[in-house]
Amino acid sequence: MTVTHALDNAPNAQATIIDGKAFAETLRKDVAIGARAFREKRGRAPGLAVVLVGSDPASQVYVRTKMKNALESGIDSFPHLLERDTSETQLLSLIDKLNNDRYVHGILVQLPLPEHIDESKVIAAIDPAKDVDGFHPVNVGLLGQGRAKLIPCTPLGCLMMLKDQLGDLGGKKAVIVGRSNIVGKPMANLLLQENCTVTIVHSRTRDLNNECRQADILVVAIGRAEFIDATAIKPGAIVVDVGINRVEKNGAPLLVGDVDFNSARNVAAAITPVPGGVGPMTVACLMKNTLAAAEAIESDAAVRF
Ligand code: GUN
């Protein structure tokens, strides 16, 4: 990957567009090399179980993308597509089966789950060694202590792109917009570990734009279409847009991020587009985590409780 020294850009120059799709392609190729070596040594490929409950169209697209990526990365995928009225007990019993299946090294339960199922109970039932989402409380705790084994895929993908742009992140001021368990909180922990000065802002933050304007690194994961524009961005900042929002513009459906791209690109030094930025990296990082989980499990280095 090419490293561009984005903070050197003059203000008002058009931002470098960070090509997450190309970055993900490179990462998938690296994973495929590792997966081939794993198969040669162990006689079977790393295996990923993907569980979807119900037929939410967006979730179906995500699951299909994950299975296609697995194939391209030399990872076996095992889909479990369950009816929306699947009970919590039935789902927990499937998780138990997958925990004990030696062909399965990673378990991904697509979120959100239907309302009658307790999401945190399901996440806690996954073997932490197979928790390729990094959502199990054990993996969350290890990340908080700076001893992470499996890191949530979206923040991991964001971090890889940031390091590619900036090299050492030490001393940079990072502001994260959004405090979710999936992105905001793990992103904060990762950037803290990279010696950034980290602030999380959210819906109740006072003068959110002013906080954002202090950021050398701005990661936006608030789930609101085009919520952040140029007025919240420091000239020369790196902007990572995690949002994927389906909107309608001029009567046509359109995917937009949480950042107003056309406004932000006039101020930022570099920015991830939507689509083609964080999204592909999230899926590629899932493959990276599956390979890492497989190697750790088979060499007995996995987290055990
Ligand atoms: N739904 C939205 N993002 C994610 C993710 O990263 N993992 C899972 N399992 N479900 C999601």
Side-chain angles (χ1 to χ4, degrees):
M1 279 284 128
T2 333
V3 176
T4 47
H5 294 280
L7 288 181
D8 296 342
N9 273 21
N12 295 327
Q14 286 253 304
T16 299
I17 298 182
I18 301 171
D19 189 345
K21 209 168 152 209
F23 203 136
E25 182 72 44
T26 306
L27 180 54
R28 257 195 312 277
K29 282 186 181 144
D30 285 350
V31 172
I33 292 168
R36 194 178 317 124
F38 180 92
R39 203 173 55 234
E40 277 160 15
K41 187 162 178 202
R42 307 285 176 186
R44 59 203 148 94
L48 172 66
V50 181
V51 181
L52 173 63
V53 184
S55 55
D56 172 61
S59 291
Q60 283 179 325
V61 172
Y62 291 139
V63 165
R64 268 200 302 275
T65 307
K66 285 166 187 174
M67 313 246 304
K68 181 170 168 275
N69 264 257
L71 187 70
E72 288 167 6
S73 311
I75 288 171
D76 283 344
S77 64
F78 306 105
H80 294 268
L81 309 177
L82 310 179
E83 298 289 339
R84 198 194 174 282
D85 63 0
T86 300
S87 71
E88 186 180 283
T89 310
Q90 286 170 317
L91 181 56
L92 290 172
S93 134
L94 172 63
I95 302 285
D96 186 51
K97 212 173 98 206
L98 297 172
N99 282 343
N100 292 296
D101 184 337
R102 57 192 292 269
Y103 291 92
V104 170
H105 302 98
I107 301 170
L108 179 129
V109 178
Q110 186 65 33
L111 303 178
L113 287 167
E115 266 177 21
H116 65 276
I117 299 178
D118 181 344
E119 216 159 83
S120 52
K121 208 164 159 184
V122 172
I123 290 169
I126 297 172
D127 179 348
K130 297 188 178 187
D131 169 37
V132 284
D133 260 327
F135 295 165
H136 190 286
V138 162
N139 285 318
V140 174
L142 288 172
L143 174 62
Q145 291 180 334
R147 303 191 296 137
K149 293 252 184 191
L150 291 165
I151 298 169
C153 303
T154 300
L156 178 57
C158 294
L159 181 67
M160 290 175 80
M161 290 192 283
L162 284 168
K163 282 178 147 180
D164 186 59
Q165 284 295 309
L166 292 169
D168 181 15
L169 306 185
K172 302 256 184 272
K173 171 110 175 96
V175 175
I176 299 156
V177 186
R179 53 178 157 175
S180 71
N181 290 336
I182 295 182
V183 185
K185 288 178 199 163
M187 189 79 243
N189 270 322
L190 283 175
L191 289 171
L192 201 52
Q193 219 170 304
E194 296 295 326
N195 301 312
C196 291
T197 302
V198 180
T199 303
I200 301 184
V201 300
H202 48 78
S203 53
R204 303 284 292 275
T205 297
R206 294 197 191 122
D207 203 353
L208 184 140
N209 271 20
N210 184 47
E211 293 290 342
C212 292
R213 265 196 309 274
Q214 315 303 315
D216 304 311
I217 294 168
L218 186 64
V219 180
V220 189
I222 190 108
R224 292 209 225 162
E226 299 180 324
F227 181 71
I228 292 290
D229 67 12
T231 61
I233 297 169
K234 175 163 114 175
I238 311 295
V239 178
V240 177
D241 187 354
V242 179
I244 303 178
N245 307 283
R246 287 167 180 80
V247 298
E248 212 179 280
K249 267 198 185 159
N250 308 321
L254 191 70
L255 276 188
V256 297
D258 291 353
V259 177
D260 179 348
F261 182 83
N262 286 325
S263 149
R265 71 183 302 190
N266 294 318
V267 180
I271 183 167
T272 60
V274 177
V278 173
M281 279 303 284
T282 295
V283 189
C285 285
L286 175 64
M287 304 309 139
K288 179 178 159 68
N289 278 354
T290 304
L291 173 62
E295 286 171 340
I297 289 167
E298 298 291 341
S299 64
D300 233 17
V303 57
R304 287 276 166 231
F305 295 89

